Structures are given as C-alpha cells and as structure tokens.
Amino acid sequence: MKKVWIITTMLAMALASCQESLEDKCANEADEFTRKKCPARIDENIIIDSMTFDKSSHTLAYWYHLEGAADTSAVFKKINMKKVLTDELKNTTNMKLYKDAGYSFRYVYCSGKTKAVYFDTTIREKDYK
C-alpha cells in the first residue's frame, strides 16, 4: 500500500511539473498562431501579421496592416477605435482566461505601404472589467 501511495505521489508531482505556466501558454499560443495562420486577411482591407506576447508586462499584442481604401490615418480619426476594441474585448469569451488573469491587450495598425503606425493602443484590465 505504501508503494502505491509513493508511486501515485511521484506521478502526480511529475504531471504537475509538466504543466506550463499561463505566461508560457500565452506565449506559445501567440507563436503558434503567428506560425500557422499569419498573415491572414481579416476583411477586405485588414491583414493580421502576427500575435506576440510580452511576459514582463503580460501583454498580448496583435499586429495588423491596412491595404486599399483603409490604408490611411484618416480612418482612425472617424471612429473611436479604442472604444470599439474595448467593447469587443469585453464581449469576447475566448480571452476569458487571460482577462481573468488581468492581462493587457495591445492593438497596432500600420500602413501596408509605408509601414507607418496609424494606431497603437493598449487595453488594460481597468478598461475591460
């Protein structure tokens, strides 16, 4: 009986040590998404180039570039993009694990032609809770 308990305990400890931290999970998911799915067209004029994760600030970043009629900074002057993205983040369930952990979400939109940054914002826990 004692051997069974020792083996069970050792197995449980081994399994626990194999689990990755939430930070590692997020970083791995971002890398995998970028490798497997990027670049990807979001709509006619928006392409996601990559997703990154900064462990030190717990920030998941989405990097986009714009094409065609949307490739202008004027697009971001017409709408309150931070509010749109914050509302979308509040209503999405697929980021619940990271929102519950208080992670931040950064969105960067650049010109496809000039690479100029049109819009760069970070939505923090205080914004989406």
Side-chain angles (χ1 to χ4, degrees), residues 7 14 20 24 40 61 68 71 73 85 92 96 99 102 114 116:
I7 292 171
E20 61 186 346
D24 290 339
D71 195 351
S73 62
L85 292 169
T92 189
K96 183 177 181 349
K99 291 190 300 186
T114 67

Side-chain angles (χ1 to χ4, degrees), residues 9-75:
T9 303
M10 290 176 68
L11 182 60
M13 287 174 30
L15 288 174
S17 67
C18 292
Q19 290 182 335
E20 61 186 346
S21 69
L22 186 57
E23 289 87 358
D24 290 339
K25 177 181 176 165
C26 190
N28 290 337
E29 286 180 357
D31 288 342
E32 184 175 339
F33 178 84
T34 299
R35 270 194 330 275
K36 291 183 176 181
K37 299 190 178 189
C38 291
R41 189 166 293 282
I42 302 299
D43 72 14
E44 185 179 339
N45 298 312
I46 303 172
I47 289 96
I48 185 165
D49 295 313
S50 66
M51 185 186 316
T52 59
F53 180 66
D54 179 44
K55 286 183 182 182
S56 64
S57 66
H58 291 133
T59 302
L60 187 61
Y62 300 89
W63 300 84
Y64 300 93
H65 78 264
L66 305 176
E67 295 182 338
D71 195 351
T72 174
S73 62
V75 170

